[in-house]
Amino acid sequence: MVNSSTLMKKWGFLKNSEQKTESNTAVDGVLTLLMSNLDISDRRPVIPMARGEPSANFTCFGKTRMAADAISEAVRSAEFNGYSPTGGVLSGRRAVAEYLSQDLPNKLSPDDVYLTMGCKQAAQTILTVLAGSKSNILFPKPGFPYYEVFAQSCHLEARHFDLLPEKDWEIDLDSVVAVADENTVAMVIINPGNPCGSVFTHQHLKKVAETAKKLGILVIADEVYDHFAFGKEPFVSMGVFGSITPVITLGSLSKRCAIPGWRLGWLVTHDPNGILKEHGIIECIKGYFYVFSSLPTFIQGALPEILGKRKEGFSLETIREAANSCYKGIIDVPGVTCPSKPEGSIFTMVKLDLSVFEDIEDDLDFCLKLAKEESVLVLPGISVGLKKWLRITFAMDQSSLEDGIKRLQDFCRRHSKKA
């Protein structure tokens, strides 16, 4: 049960004078650095394995005709030319509620859904609402670094729990308990995992909910990659366990329809026991949207068509084949190991054995030299909270992926210590 005696102290808006902004993120800064290190004399194409935006680079992930038709119809209807209501257009919120309710024991209503400018605004909203003068929040390590930026912007202390690579990146629940205290307001999970490519089991997610209940905290579930589960484990929404502890799920159209630039996301409350409402959290969320502008109404108006009659622009088999090719290719790369085959999202984490190399200082040095010598962009693990690791994106066409892995192999062999 959430601790009601301290909720109102911990959960609320900060005064404007207390706000702190961050102009950049570790990922964006590192990507800029990697791009600046490319050798412009290299005539080979750049292999972009550092950022999760396949639609921008590969046509096999960019088939958005159905979504484009839905947008066109919404614009031509002239029904969505006005300002959006607070939280979003009713038809759009209803479409998200119906879409997400398909696998939930407690069906959602439109009142549980808030439409946002991408998943980032959804994340920023709930972290701002939860911020307080002494509050802290728990993030996974490794994780998605923008959460750190949002927490810092509202003076919400960030603490970290571990993910276990030897157990397919499951959450180390003992480490969750160890870092939590009476000022902890929530824990964030990312499932399917960015950057790990993991998919949590039903049993593990239930344990997460039970742990959160014991600690008296919320679970914020980033489920942007909910439809990218292609391994042995099916995707299970954290909202299934909303009756154990309150759950906030975050999602978007960006990856599911390969349209990240459309910036349509959502924040959804799973609160069948009324805990969030009882302690004023729902009103705080609504208050946030009273202050900030909503996303364009015509995109919201297209949601019933996109979610109700959506056909995949690409199949899961395309992602599965790419994940398998990446995993098999990495096995032959000296000094690099992948602890488990990716089963979800479009990323995998691989570990560097720096003792194998004669002139590589750390993961950032590895990525800078790889960019310069092979025109391959890979994200250093330090950007997602784990030193001596790399995050690799495998969402690309087969020929580009094979070329990227081959260049990675050549680079590692060239820099390996001589026998």
Side-chain angles (χ1 to χ4, degrees), residues 398-416:
Q398 192 67 24
S399 61
S400 297
L401 181 60
E402 291 174 356
D403 188 11
I405 295 294
K406 175 63 166 56
R407 296 190 209 177
L408 179 63
Q409 292 172 349
D410 292 344
F411 174 84
C412 289
R413 291 192 179 104
R414 189 165 60 249
H415 288 269
S416 296

Side-chain angles (χ1 to χ4, degrees), residues 1-2 103-108 202 205-206 208-210 212-213 217-219 221 223 236-249 268-276:
M1 183 66 66
V2 176
D103 300 313
L104 296 176
N106 299 292
K107 302 306 179 185
L108 297 167
H202 184 283
L205 289 171
K206 185 177 181 181
V208 171
E210 291 170 344
K213 180 180 180 180
I217 63 177
L218 303 178
V219 178
E223 298 180 351
V236 178
S237 174
M238 192 68 208
V240 169
F241 308 100
S243 60
I244 297 177
T245 197
V247 173
I248 305 288
T249 60
V268 179
T269 60
H270 304 266
D271 187 32
N273 297 324
I275 296 173
L276 298 180

